[in-house]
Amino acid sequence: MTVRQLALPELTDACAQLGVQGVGLWREPVQEYGVEAAAKLVRDAGLTVTTLCRGGFLTALDTDARARALDDNRRAVDEAATLGTDTLVLVSGGLPPGSRDLRGARERIADALAELGPYAESHGVRLAIEPLHPMYAADRCVVSTLAQALDLAERFPAHQVGVTVDTYHIWWDDRAPEQIARAGAGGRIHTFQLADWTTPLPEGVLNGRGQIGDGSIDMREWKGYVEAAGYTGAIEVELFNDPLWARDGREVLAETAARFVEHVVR
Amino acid sequence: MTVRQLALPELTDACAQLGVQGVGLWREPVQEYGVEAAAKLVRDAGLTVTTLCRGGFLTALDTDARARALDDNRRAVDEAATLGTDTLVLVSGGLPPGSRDLRGARERIADALAELGPYAESHGVRLAIEPLHPMYAADRCVVSTLAQALDLAERFPAHQVGVTVDTYHIWWDDRAPEQIARAGAGGRIHTFQLADWTTPLPEGVLNGRGQIGDGSIDMREWKGYVEAAGYTGAIEVELFNDPLWARDGREVLAETAARFVEHVVR
């Protein structure tokens, strides 16, 4: 998503040239390209698919909408398995229209996970609940903290349900370091994502995730927390950023790789 | 601030006509009108000043900037005392330019409170730390939850430092109800403010606070929490909202009063 301006063949080519060994994919471009074809493309480029984004949106009250959401999540699991990734990231969903019941919405997510967890397991896929920043609680994700995500995940086996740790969503939370330790102890850190916090936020607050190093987040500090919690998996950089999307994708990818080395690796 | 389009004499007149008995004031219009004159105006209209907004911005690293901030907060205490309100709301401040150290910034707030608390007490004024929504953590207020605000406040006597409970900032937080109980038990709920959560958020996310009843927050639920915690003070409605500011102020005030009756009182 960081370089969504690149078509999949350009993306895999650019990754290979830069020495980027893994890539997180989103469902829409994969579906457009064809899931099997995308899997072959990525495999032939020597790339690992780190995660598939995204399943979720599990908060509907309406029975039909709920059934459609579960169907779509099963399809997302199938796609993840075809792509050869073991992790499907979940954006859980916001409040249904007219509802003010955050607790009820969170409980419906648990109900859905009880159905989807075993299905994912049978396909070799783990679900990774992503707590989204509290500014998305109404319209995108009622799971706002790592603690809430773990409260949900821990009702299920770790190989079925874990969490996504994304710096952008949790950097403000003084409880997050202890929750990362909790997640690590349970084997539930299923992926670790980076984006920086920059202001002012754009209208709608979706596409303002800052390039690594441009904002308020100490990336090394957070990398330290997940490493101390035993995480050894891939680190993904996931930026939604209109100015970055308007630039040459290969240039943005190269810049992102350089920022990663400067602010995370060194 | 909800009807900042009304000059102070219009505001006091409109409040009197509507039967609104208390009003929270902001420093800028009070200073423009003259603090003594504003105090007389409000008193003559039979109105109580519920709180003065705002002190704070206590996170500067620079020594001169820090001294200026403390001076300004002492002036704010003086103004509160002159206006006859016992509560000064604090917006604590964001990260200094280039800093990524949230913990350090929070600690500097504590240092400042140690100086300001006794000064406020000697003027009959209590400081009310307002946790702001985590989306303001970088640029406006590093205190993002009621728990953090109470961790700071509880280092000082309750008659010096307490908290502001504002639905807009805490509605997403499943720990907030227990923290309201904690605040109430300690006599630290110094004011209770309402605004609703509406989306999409505007650019900069400052002026999107929704009219009561327009958004995702169950106002009665939160009123129930503060009442159960023993709060018997005023309930303030504080909206920052460009479309509301563009309308006739008396009409907005009447609408707000009606919404308050519909969604909070009944």
Side-chain angles (χ1 to χ4, degrees), chain B residues 172-194:
Chain B
W172 57 272
D173 183 1
D174 56 353
R175 294 178 77 210
E178 81 201 25
Q179 297 300 316
I180 289 174
R182 171 184 167 192
R188 292 183 194 270
I189 304 178
H190 288 352
T191 183
F192 177 44
Q193 300 182 335
L194 308 181

Side-chain angles (χ1 to χ4, degrees), chain B residues 15-93:
Chain B
C15 284
Q17 280 196 0
L18 277 165
V20 174
Q21 297 169 339
V23 63
L25 296 179
W26 277 59
R27 293 182 68 196
E28 294 73 11
V30 166
Q31 288 169 348
E32 268 172 43
Y33 193 81
V35 184
E36 293 280 359
K40 181 174 189 317
L41 179 75
V42 174
R43 201 166 48 235
D44 289 351
L47 279 169
T48 302
V49 180
T50 49
T51 61
L52 180 65
C53 280
R54 61 190 188 205
F57 294 91
L58 302 168
T59 53
L61 281 162
D62 174 77
T63 313
D64 287 349
R66 180 171 179 75
R68 281 195 303 275
L70 288 171
D71 278 348
D72 187 57
N73 275 273
R74 281 184 284 262
R75 268 197 304 279
V77 167
D78 299 343
E79 292 163 13
T82 301
L83 290 167
T85 177
D86 63 359
T87 302
L88 175 66
V89 174
L90 301 184
V91 173
S92 297

